[in-house]
Amino acid sequence: MKAYHLHDDAGVGRLVRADVAKPEPGKSEVRIRLEAASLNYRDLLILDAAGQGGLNGRVPLCDGAGVVDAVGSDVMQWRVGDRVAAAYFRDWVSGPFKRGYIPSALGSRTLDGVLTEYIVLPATALVAVPKHLTSVEAATLPCAAVTAWHGLVTRGGLSKGDTLLVQGTGGVALFGLQFAAALGARAIVISSSNAKLDRAKALGASILINYRDTPDWDVAIMKATDGQGASHILELGGPGTYDRSIRSVASGGKIVQIGVLTGFGPKPDLARLQWENANIIGVTVGSVEHFAAMNRFLAEHAIHPIIDRIYGFDEVPEAYAHLQSGSHFGKVVVEL
């Protein structure tokens, strides 16, 4: 089969195509013929890290969907031909998060990912693809969608009448916007692009702020919400946004911290959170159980992921470059 490997010495791209043996499933495992994979910001960080060593030969990407191709003798819940997606954390099936689950993240330093024609995983690490979604659409879900669902809905309790602040128009942001719209929550979107804001409006956003034109977007948010602020904030986790998010959160509100997408730097001033009785919810994706619950919601509300662009298997470097450019609106997908 064909796969992409990360290589320490592969130059700027660090992505090398390889022909490798097709894996065979063990007794409790399933082999999936992957039909699509999608990229996340973390994949850019991993690609950069490949140049520092320790990732030589590792298959990248954590988001993939396809068709069950073979099952182990002890597997009862899956059959050949079932359409499935792989969970981000192979070992986090249900219950609270444990630090020991971290090495089971697909496409990480410790485990191969899904940029390959076939992959073998435990039967417990899979979820059924909603019937209304294609494999290309389903491949966008494991990281970005589950992160938004786990943070905003499962732990954040987002519901009708709440106000969600979404930063940007990447994968997690747009899934958050779609969940808010389906739940009847008001959505605020900030972006540097008026064209992207117009598209966000079509998805249900009601308050639109161009942060280049309005750098004090926290002040604008408080004004637009009559001084109340946002009950829920999808925070990208960097110094460029965090202090303004804290100044934008409503009393008793929740800041869902999902990553470091605006970079590393000075720590924010958290004092206002105490006085407003607000919370920070740290989120790293979610469990198989979270994934399955989210899929039921997607099916109930007929939600389709927003896909920016689809690349072929021979165009993987171009897909990475497009994501790196920041010009995307929604998810970047590789079709296998």
Side-chain angles (χ1 to χ4, degrees):
M1 67 173 188
K2 298 187 188 308
Y4 274 90
H5 288 168
L6 297 171
H7 275 253
D8 298 339
D9 57 355
V12 177
R14 300 194 184 105
L15 289 163
V16 176
R17 282 187 57 165
D19 291 317
V20 296
K22 185 187 298 185
E24 295 296 330
K27 289 184 177 181
S28 60
E29 294 179 325
V30 172
R31 185 172 68 202
I32 303 103
R33 176 173 54 80
L34 290 157
E35 295 184 327
S38 76
L39 280 71
N40 296 281
Y41 182 83
R42 57 94 79 169
D43 299 310
L44 298 178
L45 298 178
I46 289 172
L47 186 64
D48 287 341
Q52 303 166 19
L55 285 164
N56 203 51
R58 184 66 67 204
V59 177
L61 304 194
C62 59
D63 283 8
V67 177
V68 173
D69 173 74
V71 298
S73 58
D74 293 344
V75 175
M76 304 300 294
Q77 66 267 51
W78 303 111
R79 297 179 180 178
V80 172
D82 286 345
R83 299 174 62 238
V84 297
Y88 177 93
F89 286 113
R90 180 195 62 190
D91 297 344
W92 188 10
V93 178
S94 61
F97 180 75
K98 298 178 182 178
R99 189 177 300 172
Y101 295 145
I102 292 176
S104 73
L106 299 184
S108 64
R109 186 174 292 276
T110 53
L111 196 65
D112 281 338
V114 297
L115 197 51
T116 176
E117 290 183 300
Y118 294 87
I119 189 172
V120 165
L121 290 169
T124 54
L126 306 175
V127 297
V129 170
K131 293 181 180 179
H132 74 293
L133 298 183
T134 66
S135 290
V136 166
E137 291 174 316
T140 69
L141 302 176
C143 182
V146 175
T147 296
W149 175 264
H150 178 205
L152 291 174
V153 182
T154 305
R155 291 172 60 192
L158 183 69
S159 61
K160 185 176 181 179
D162 286 332
T163 299
L164 169 66
L165 166 60
V166 170
Q167 298 173 352
T169 54
V172 181
L174 291 186
F175 280 119
L177 173 57
Q178 289 179 290
F179 295 153
L183 290 165
R186 177 171 59 170
I188 305 168
V189 176
I190 64 171
S191 171
S192 62
S193 165
N194 288 331
K196 289 182 178 180
L197 288 173
D198 288 342
R199 295 180 68 182
K201 183 178 181 179
L203 293 174
S206 58
I207 300 174
L208 309 168
I209 300 172
N210 186 315
Y211 62 78
R212 292 199 187 278
D213 298 337
T214 309
D216 294 333
W217 50 263
D218 52 318
V219 176
I221 286 170
M222 296 304 285
K223 183 178 180 180
T225 59
D226 298 321
Q228 297 302 305
S231 62
H232 295 72
I233 297 175
L234 264 179
E235 169 53 51
L236 303 185
T241 56
Y242 221 122
D243 279 322
R244 294 192 187 279
S245 289
I246 291 172
R247 294 195 291 269
S248 301
V249 71
S251 297
K254 302 176 179 70
I255 297 175
V256 178
Q257 181 178 335
I258 63 169
V260 290
L261 305 194
T262 58
F264 301 88
K267 299 297 184 286
D269 181 1
L270 303 179
R272 184 174 183 270
L273 295 178
Q274 176 184 351
W275 299 112
E276 295 293 347
N277 287 276
N279 302 282
I280 293 176
I281 300 174
V283 172
T284 302
V285 199
S287 67
V288 176
E289 186 175 64
H290 294 140
F291 198 166
M294 181 196 71
N295 280 352
R296 292 191 292 270
F297 183 86
L298 295 177
E300 178 185 355
H301 294 275
I303 294 173
H304 289 268
I306 307 302
I307 295 173
D308 179 82
R309 193 172 297 182
I310 301 171
Y311 289 86
F313 196 64
D314 295 333
E315 301 173 306
V316 167
E318 289 86 346
Y320 271 83
H322 181 57
L323 183 67
Q324 181 72 65
S325 75
S327 63
H328 58 289
F329 184 93
K331 295 291 292 180
V332 177
V333 180
V334 175
E335 191 167 19
L336 280 72

